[in-house]
Amino acid sequence: MSEPTPPTTTPPDDARRMTPKAITGWSLVALIGAVGWAVLALARGEEVSAVWMLAAALGSYAIAYRFYAKWIQYKVLKADRKRATPAERLNNGVDFHPTDRRVLFGHHFAAVAGAGPLVGPILAAQMGYLPGTIWIVAGVIFAGAVQDMVVLFFSTRRDGRSLGQIARDEIGPVGGAAALIAVFMIMIILLAVLALVIVNALADSPWGVFSIGMTIPIALFMGFYLRTLRPGRVTEVSVIGVALLLLAIVAGGWVAESSLADTFTLEAGTLVIWMVIYGFVASVLPVWMLLAPRDYLSTFMKVGTIVLLAVGVVIALPTLKMDGVTEFASSGAGPVFAGSLFPFVFITIACGALSGFHALVSSGTTPKMIQKETQVRMIGYGAMITESFVAIMALICACIIDPGLYFAMNAPAGVIGDSVQSASQAVSDLGFSISPGDLAQAAKDVEEASLLSRTGGAPTFALGMSEIFASVIGGSGLKAFWYHFAIMFEALFILTTVDAGTRVGRFMLQDMLGNVYKPMKDVSWKPGVWFASAIVVGGWGYFLWVGVHDPLGGINQLFPLFGIANQLLAAVALAVCTTLLVKSGRLKYAWITAVPLAWDAAVTLTASWQKVFSDDPAVGFFSQRAKYQDGIDAGEVLPPATSMDDMHTVVTNSTVDGVLSILFAVLILIVLADAARVCYKVIRDPASAKLAEVKFVESKLVAPDGMIPTQQEKAELAAVGARSGTDGDAS
């Protein structure tokens, strides 16, 4: 234990003052954002261009990153670029490894940006475009990105310890134990859900399997290229890697049309086995060899595709066909998911606004690889607002398609039936209209047998993306190509979260077991690495395997807990951050995490209460249990069950989900209560604060703070580059 060492650096010049030219430029950015918000908020019935959603989001992101995030980094956190990070002090070439900020940004973004920013906004679109847009943008600026950056900073000051272990060290054994248990259980559920989305996307898709499989050898090549062949040549290897990635994507289409198609056509069960093997290998190999370069490579495709999609919106100028706020926002009787706007839109849209999973990466792989404390803004805050932009683009894709088609795709078969005629009538009953012919034509346009009840969000995103791209390039003739390209893109998006998440889970388990058996605390101790990795992949792999083979079992049983569990995890992270701000003498700034904590706790605990105690079977787990139990007693089979065995399974699932909802809520309440106790004690007696922060060690590493080096940083890099022959960072 040691007291923190005061920082010895001051902010760069542009953090302290601005020129008249800069003031004019930033005022223009603010004006563009404000006009975008005004158009979205004041529209009443008339069609609104999706460009205004882009303007509102991008203007807000820019202002927040330049001013709010910079203020937090220098004024609140007092990040010190002269302080050596764990990557520098503990560098072992396995888990601790100083990583170029560009590569690390790619890794961090790819690790946190999974299914959430693509799926959540699609589902929440049933409430209208306005609630989702407000939460995605305001949520990320004041909650999600702040959480990611602050957790990353505090974990970096603690040798890259995991969130649960930091809670135990800083809050105490009671709250810490509750946090460790809750975090690990939630982690397994989140990984299994993300893996299920990948399996569903890649099953029987030779194009997707080949293209995504090829990213592994490409990443290995990039890792060895930077490590041994051309150290420090990040720009060079980036060009090579992107070229190979594009070739793999194009070749995937060739493979799908060739005799090799059968070889790369894998059924769901086979994909589960390969994913478990890959997750284990990615978790135990040195981070520079596979994980970091693969995530960096994936980021080029992720960000590149989303940027091109935004450009497509600017060129094609599609209009938002969904209402700003629909009647489902107040009635809570939406066909996509049940529940009113508050709290469920804030649960449905997690990643992209606020996600507890991000805190695990920010206290997992990234703090063990970051070169400078002063890079936390670019990597923590910057990667999160980039993901938020992905969520905005997903929301646009959902809202530019005809609402009738949207509901036909996202409502379950039990609501719309299994024919275009029944779907057309069901959509009409919801207050929208689409003809059977239009439903059939929409499926034909993308070469799908049917688009009815293509739930989960991914097909809707792919359809909206195909409409935008087809409007710019190729017209309707290329719509099917763009649709299937989007499906593969989504699978690539999510897989990078599973491999990084498995490694993070391994760190968490080693930290937890290290409280009992000391050698486990060394996260690079090989027996511990292998044992913990096997437990983690075995955990999510089991739920995934059962879920793939049983529509009502395995992870399908726990899927309804995904949104609430993720947001409860964010409550743990924000509670830990608030406690650390108070304990480290930053009480007057504790509101930056305390305010979003209060909001998140209100949302998630309200949602938990409704999921447990609501009388509506579509919302409450126990009321759903009672409904199906009554059906069993009466000898009736109720949808989605197709047999009496299914009825019993639904009763079991509802019971398990209800009990777990109570357990998670109780564990989080324990964490919050213990954190409040610690904060109160420190406020009453500041001298009682003891921080588990490592001692100051001066850094000998030279690296820029942001993506683009300043003039001073360029001079420093030139000095060391002349000696080392690199084009990037050096020591």
Side-chain angles (χ1 to χ4, degrees), residues 668-690:
I668 299 313
L669 286 171
I670 291 173
V671 175
L672 295 178
D674 213 16
R677 176 191 62 81
V678 172
C679 290
Y680 179 75
K681 179 182 177 182
V682 172
I683 292 171
R684 292 275 314 261
D685 180 15
S688 66
K690 295 186 182 298

Side-chain angles (χ1 to χ4, degrees), residues 151-426:
V151 169
L152 176 57
F153 173 81
F154 281 127
S155 180
T156 300
R157 285 276 174 103
R158 285 156 181 78
D159 282 344
R161 289 295 184 200
S162 65
L163 177 64
Q165 188 60 39
I166 294 174
R168 186 181 187 279
D169 293 341
E170 300 289 357
I171 295 178
V174 177
L180 283 168
I181 295 170
V183 168
F184 189 73
M185 290 177 63
I186 292 172
M187 178 74 168
I188 295 298
I189 293 175
L190 299 184
L191 287 175
V193 168
L194 294 172
L196 180 64
V197 177
I198 298 169
V199 169
N200 290 338
L202 292 184
D204 302 318
S205 173
W207 183 4
V209 169
F210 176 83
S211 298
I212 290 175
M214 285 302 297
T215 63
I216 298 174
I218 293 172
L220 289 169
F221 165 75
M222 292 175 66
F224 280 100
Y225 193 97
L226 283 175
R227 181 79 172 183
T228 58
L229 297 179
R230 303 273 285 175
R233 301 289 183 175
V234 176
T235 303
E236 190 175 293
V237 78
S238 299
V239 173
I240 297 173
V242 171
L244 292 174
L245 174 62
L246 294 175
L247 177 61
I249 293 170
V250 174
W254 300 338
V255 168
E257 301 295 330
S258 73
S259 59
L260 292 173
D262 290 342
T263 303
F264 290 95
T265 302
L266 304 181
E267 62 178 13
T270 305
L271 280 170
V272 172
I273 295 173
W274 279 112
M275 284 184 62
V276 167
I277 293 172
Y278 170 73
F280 179 84
V281 172
S283 179
V284 302
L285 284 180
V287 70
W288 60 265
M289 187 181 296
L290 176 59
L291 191 66
R294 188 185 181 284
D295 289 351
Y296 176 61
L297 179 66
S298 299
T299 296
F300 277 99
M301 176 158 177
K302 291 180 176 183
V303 176
T305 301
I306 292 299
V307 169
L308 289 176
L309 190 58
V311 172
V313 169
V314 173
I315 296 173
L317 298 176
T319 57
L320 301 171
K321 296 182 174 62
M322 189 71 74
D323 291 338
V325 181
T326 69
E327 64 177 27
F328 303 124
S330 57
S331 70
V336 180
F337 64 90
S340 57
L341 189 152
F342 181 87
F344 289 106
V345 77
F346 307 102
I347 297 298
T348 304
I349 300 178
C351 299
L354 172 64
S355 170
F357 178 80
H358 293 196
L360 305 183
V361 178
S362 292
S363 61
T365 52
T366 306
K368 299 175 180 65
M369 301 161 68
I370 194 168
Q371 297 168 311
K372 294 290 182 183
E373 283 187 0
T374 43
Q375 293 174 347
V376 297
R377 179 174 72 114
M378 183 194 82
I379 294 169
Y381 203 98
M384 181 54 187
I385 60 174
T386 304
E387 183 190 14
S388 182
F389 185 56
V390 173
I392 286 292
M393 296 310 303
L395 186 59
I396 288 176
C397 286
C399 293
I400 64 168
I401 66 177
D402 185 275
L405 180 56
Y406 167 85
F407 285 107
M409 292 182 68
N410 289 281
V415 174
I416 66 169
D418 57 1
S419 69
V420 291
Q421 289 78 16
S422 63
S424 175
Q425 182 58 51

Side-chain angles (χ1 to χ4, degrees), residues 455-467:
T455 57
T460 303
F461 175 80
L463 183 65
M465 183 173 167
S466 69
E467 288 199 3

